[in-house]
Amino acid sequence: YLLTTTEMHRYDPSNDRWCTLAPPIAKLPEAHATQIGSNTPAVIGTEIFCLTEWYGEMLVYDTELDRWRELPAWGQPETRSNNHQFMEASTFVLEGQLHVLFGYQNL
């Protein structure tokens, strides 16, 4: 699968070609080469989980149905003091469960 901020594609090795799939239903964040692991989609079974550019929203792509859906938003994470700014979030799967790791920057 090849996922951009506005497009989704799948490679078909039997026909040696790329197929265009349903585009994301909300804008996904742009990947930054200096932020390895940041904004990385996570896969559980036949579903691909992606954070939107607002991070409080999650999109899910069903690879069997070629369809996107949006999960309920949980809102922006809160900082514990005024000395931190929310910077990024990453998704990962551990023991079959989806997790989101938030990163902060000291001001």
Side-chain angles (χ1 to χ4, degrees):
Y1 289 89
L2 172 65
L3 176 62
T4 71
T5 58
T6 59
E7 298 177 5
M8 180 78 156
H9 304 273
R10 178 182 54 83
Y11 181 69
D12 178 0
S14 62
N15 293 313
D16 192 27
R17 68 181 187 95
W18 286 92
C19 304
T20 301
L21 304 172
I25 55 176
K27 187 173 182 193
L28 301 174
E30 295 180 19
H32 301 286
T34 58
Q35 297 177 347
I36 302 300
S38 178
N39 308 327
T40 303
V43 178
I44 300 177
T46 61
E47 295 181 317
I48 301 172
F49 295 82
C50 305
L51 293 168
T52 68
E53 67 179 348
W54 303 110
Y55 296 115
E57 301 170 356
M58 178 82 67
L59 299 182
V60 182
Y61 177 74
D62 186 316
T63 60
E64 294 178 331
L65 299 176
D66 186 27
R67 188 179 330 170
W68 289 90
R69 65 185 168 92
E70 190 172 348
L71 295 181
W74 64 81
Q76 287 287 348
E78 296 181 21
T79 59
R80 294 184 181 213
S81 73
N82 293 334
N83 298 330
H84 297 88
Q85 177 183 4
F86 174 70
M87 294 300 294
E88 64 185 21
S90 298
T91 56
F92 65 96
V93 177
L94 179 64
E95 297 181 353
Q97 294 184 341
L98 180 67
H99 298 267
V100 179
L101 178 66
F102 293 100
Y104 292 89
Q105 177 182 19
N106 289 332
L107 298 178

